[in-house]
Amino acid sequence: MKNKKNNAQYQLTNRFVKILLLLLIVINLAFIGISLISSYRYLNNQAAEIMNTLQEVPQDTSEWTTLVNATTAKDDEDAVRILLENGPMYYSKEGKEIFDKLAQGRALLLFPGIILSENKIYLYQKQEQAGRTVELAVHGTQIVELMVRMFLISLLLNILAIVIGSLVIYLFVGKWSKTLHQMTKEMSEIETDEKQDLHLSVPSSPNEFRQVATSFNHLLDMQRNATKRESQFVADASHELRTPLSAIRGHVQLIKRRGSQHPEVIGPSIDFIDKESKRLEILMNQLLALGRSTVEKPLSLISLSKVIQQTAEEFRRTSKQEVTLAIEPGIQMQIDELEIQQVCQNLFENAAKYSHASDTITITLTKIADKIRLSVADTGPGIPDDMKERIFERFYRIDHSRSSQVEGSGIGLSIVQSIVEKYHGAIQVRDNQPTGSIFQIDFPLK
Ligand code: ADP
């Protein structure tokens, strides 16, 4: 029962019905008030009409009995009593009985002149006219009865309105809460969905529900993609770490087993262990860098031109290829110096790794319109179109770089991309002419 009271359908209907009831009570009270006042006015107008007619009667008429009867002819229950100055008193037909009854009656405080007598209602008025005192009892039972009848009819209609209104509201709200109920049910199914392909059905109306369902599905997709990427990352990372580690362990076993009898295996094995452990170290550092690149820290304005110039010159000293620099001086940016160095090193090393000694590498930094553009171009073999997107994925390496035994882990470009995006920049790779590739980074100028 408590559960039922907590549901939206019950609560909304309950609230709507209460509001409806309050509204109807106010309307009915207003109806009663207005009808009472109108009836009272009506009786007063009737009384004034009779009084006016009598006022016009000349002082010396001898037809008083006919006159008083004529004035009350409209309603037998009305009564007139006239007391002339010189003594005689005239009653309309049955007037005496009515006035006698009125003397026993009860006055109503709220409506001056209204008297209740033996279940009948009268408006009593007394007026001094020239040479006579006129008293009137206007019968009002009929109009009050009419009023009560109308009120009862209106009350009945109101009760009908409440019943039908509540039912309509209950059904209407029920339609909504059914949609909500369905959504909740589907959400809990999604929670336990192992295949991860369920989505919330999007209702066509109301708009708010449609928006909630659409946003939920969008969020769900984002969350699922993130989880997929994370688990892919963990799988790839452990695979990349496991390969050099098992090779190292293999060589350690080899030294242990055969080292004493065949000391000639020790030298090459130690060289291998040295090389692989260095690779592991680099890989670990890259993985750490990937994690770090999402941490925000306060930044100061640095000379981008200077940092890139220095990093490029250092690279030029050790590079087998010819390196050309075209760095516009004086470009400044709010960026972490270590991070921009990391971006440069990765791109420069790639250009060197994936080109021949006879190729050329061109490093350019310029300001164009509202952007700072850094590009690293080489004249190496280039990157096939269908791989241009994929090389930014973590651990993705083009087969030729694996088979040609170029050292690498496939993380470099994902680090570059995450740093660039952190500074709201964009990276893209294009073909160089006639051969090679151009890695181009655009940072927005603030
Ligand atoms: P890694 O160099 O460690 O393999 P990266 O993420 O830096 O990893 O690069 C991903 C892949 O993109 C590389 O394996 C390589 O195949 C390709 N690549 C990157 N830079 C170049 C380049 N300048 N020319 C040709 N191929 C490139």
Side-chain angles (χ1 to χ4, degrees):
M1 187 63 195
K2 191 166 183 276
N3 233 352
K4 203 177 164 207
K5 277 191 174 174
N6 277 340
N7 77 35
Q9 188 176 18
Y10 180 87
Q11 288 193 359
L12 280 174
T13 313
N14 193 8
R15 243 161 253 188
F16 273 127
V17 170
K18 276 184 186 156
I19 293 171
L20 203 68
L21 214 62
L22 200 79
L23 219 81
L24 291 179
I25 289 175
V26 171
I27 291 173
N28 279 303
L29 283 179
F31 177 83
I32 295 174
I34 292 168
S35 323
L36 280 176
I37 291 169
S38 311
S39 313
Y40 183 59
R41 275 205 192 143
Y42 173 77
L43 290 178
N44 268 302
N45 287 344
Q46 272 201 326
E49 228 175 81
I50 299 175
M51 286 294 191
N52 286 343
T53 321
L54 288 173
Q55 203 157 25
E56 280 159 19
V57 178
Q59 183 70 21
D60 54 356
T61 182
S62 53
E63 301 294 321
W64 280 113
T65 314
T66 329
L67 262 167
V68 287
N69 282 332
T71 30
T72 58
K74 259 202 248 166
D75 187 342
D76 290 353
E77 305 259 6
D78 287 351
V80 178
R81 173 163 70 186
I82 295 180
L83 176 65
L84 296 184
E85 240 172 12
N86 49 10
M89 187 181 264
Y90 298 94
Y91 279 101
S92 58
K93 204 176 142 213
E94 292 177 32
K96 185 158 180 2
E97 292 79 33
I98 293 173
F99 279 106
D100 285 350
K101 267 193 255 163
L102 279 191
Q104 321 279 314
R106 209 153 35 88
L108 276 189
L109 271 184
L110 227 51
F111 297 96
I114 294 287
I115 295 174
L116 298 179
S117 155
E118 289 183 0
N119 293 332
K120 289 191 174 164
I121 295 167
Y122 290 92
L123 172 74
Y124 171 79
Q125 276 195 359
K126 184 176 180 181
Q127 203 177 64
E128 295 297 335
Q129 294 181 356
R132 57 197 178 239
T133 307
V134 179
E135 286 172 275
L136 263 186
V138 183
H139 182 224
T141 311
Q142 273 167 349
I143 186 160
V144 172
E145 270 172 9
L146 181 73
M147 205 181 78
V148 170
R149 216 172 303 138
M150 274 171 67
F151 175 69
L152 287 178
I153 292 173
S154 129
L155 199 69
L156 204 78
L157 289 177
N158 285 338
I159 290 172
L160 214 70
I162 292 180
V163 173
I164 295 176
S166 323
L167 206 74
V168 170
I169 289 164
Y170 185 78
L171 293 177
F172 188 64
V173 175
K175 215 180 106 199
W176 275 15
S177 68
K178 204 171 140 202
T179 316
L180 263 182
H181 194 71
Q182 176 68 17
M183 280 165 82
T184 325
K185 205 175 124 212
E186 286 184 17
M187 277 180 192
S188 48
E189 277 167 16
I190 287 169
E191 217 176 288
T192 50
D193 167 35
E194 279 178 8
K195 279 196 275 164
Q196 300 227 328
D197 59 354
L198 284 183
H199 280 89
L200 210 57
S201 353
V202 180
S204 53
S205 73
N207 281 350
E208 289 79 356
F209 286 7
R210 199 185 54 228
Q211 272 159 12
V212 167
T214 316
S215 309
F216 179 85
N217 284 341
H218 180 63
L219 211 72
L220 196 68
D221 284 339
M222 269 171 41
Q223 174 69 32
R224 280 174 181 165
N225 283 341
T227 317
K228 229 181 253 168
R229 276 202 309 273
E230 289 310 315
S231 47
Q232 183 66 39
F233 175 68
V234 172
D236 290 345
S238 50
H239 175 261
E240 291 296 320
L241 293 172
R242 200 181 301 122
T243 316
L245 266 178
S246 52
I248 289 172
R249 283 185 59 83
H251 280 271
V252 170
Q253 296 296 333
L254 181 72
I255 295 171
K256 263 183 160 174
R257 269 190 281 114
R258 304 182 53 193
S260 47
Q261 274 142 27
H262 301 277
E264 71 280 3
V265 298
I266 297 178
S269 282
I270 291 218
D271 281 349
F272 181 86
I273 291 171
D274 186 37
K275 200 177 102 211
E276 284 301 290
S277 58
K278 263 193 202 124
R279 201 158 88 81
L280 264 181
E281 194 183 359
I282 293 169
L283 194 63
M284 287 305 298
N285 285 339
Q286 284 182 324
L287 286 175
L288 287 175
L290 209 53
R292 257 203 314 272
S293 64
T294 54
V295 179
E296 298 285 340
K297 53 181 170 181
L299 297 166
S300 51
L301 203 62
I302 59 157
S303 168
L304 200 64
S305 306
K306 241 189 223 166
V307 176
I308 294 181
Q309 180 82 32
Q310 278 168 4
T311 321
E313 273 169 11
E314 247 165 60
F315 165 68
R316 181 153 62 177
R317 270 196 293 281
T318 54
S319 167
K320 299 185 291 277
Q321 290 88 347
E322 191 192 323
V323 178
T324 315
L325 305 187
I327 293 170
E328 193 180 309
I331 300 181
Q332 293 195 315
M333 189 181 159
Q334 242 179 353
I335 192 165
D336 183 89
E337 194 172 325
L338 283 178
E339 285 180 333
I340 190 65
Q341 278 172 349
Q342 208 168 9
V343 166
C344 292
Q345 274 157 7
N346 274 304
L347 293 182
F348 300 168
E349 274 166 23
N350 277 354
K353 271 196 306 190
Y354 302 109
S355 309
H356 307 108
S358 55
D359 285 323
T360 317
I361 298 168
T362 311
I363 299 165
T364 321
L365 179 74
T366 45
K367 222 188 239 184
I368 39 160
D370 54 350
K371 289 178 197 145
I372 297 172
R373 175 168 291 174
L374 166 68
S375 54
V376 181
D378 63 63
T379 53
I383 299 163
D385 279 348
D386 56 337
M387 311 243 165
K388 284 192 173 93
E389 294 255 319
R390 299 213 64 192
I391 51 170
F392 293 99
E393 289 173 18
R394 291 162 181 176
F395 301 108
Y396 186 81
R397 304 196 73 207
I398 300 175
D399 265 348
H400 72 76
S401 40
R402 289 188 190 273
S403 51
S404 62
Q405 296 299 305
V406 180
E407 291 277 313
S409 56
I411 298 183
L413 285 178
S414 28
I415 294 174
V416 171
Q417 191 181 40
S418 67
I419 294 175
V420 169
E421 282 175 356
K422 183 175 150 186
Y423 293 98
H424 311 291
I427 181 164
Q428 57 162 317
V429 57
R430 295 189 282 119
D431 289 333
N432 200 1
Q433 295 307 332
T435 57
S437 26
I438 306 175
F439 283 83
Q440 180 181 297
I441 295 174
D442 285 334
F443 286 118
L445 246 184
K446 279 193 196 128

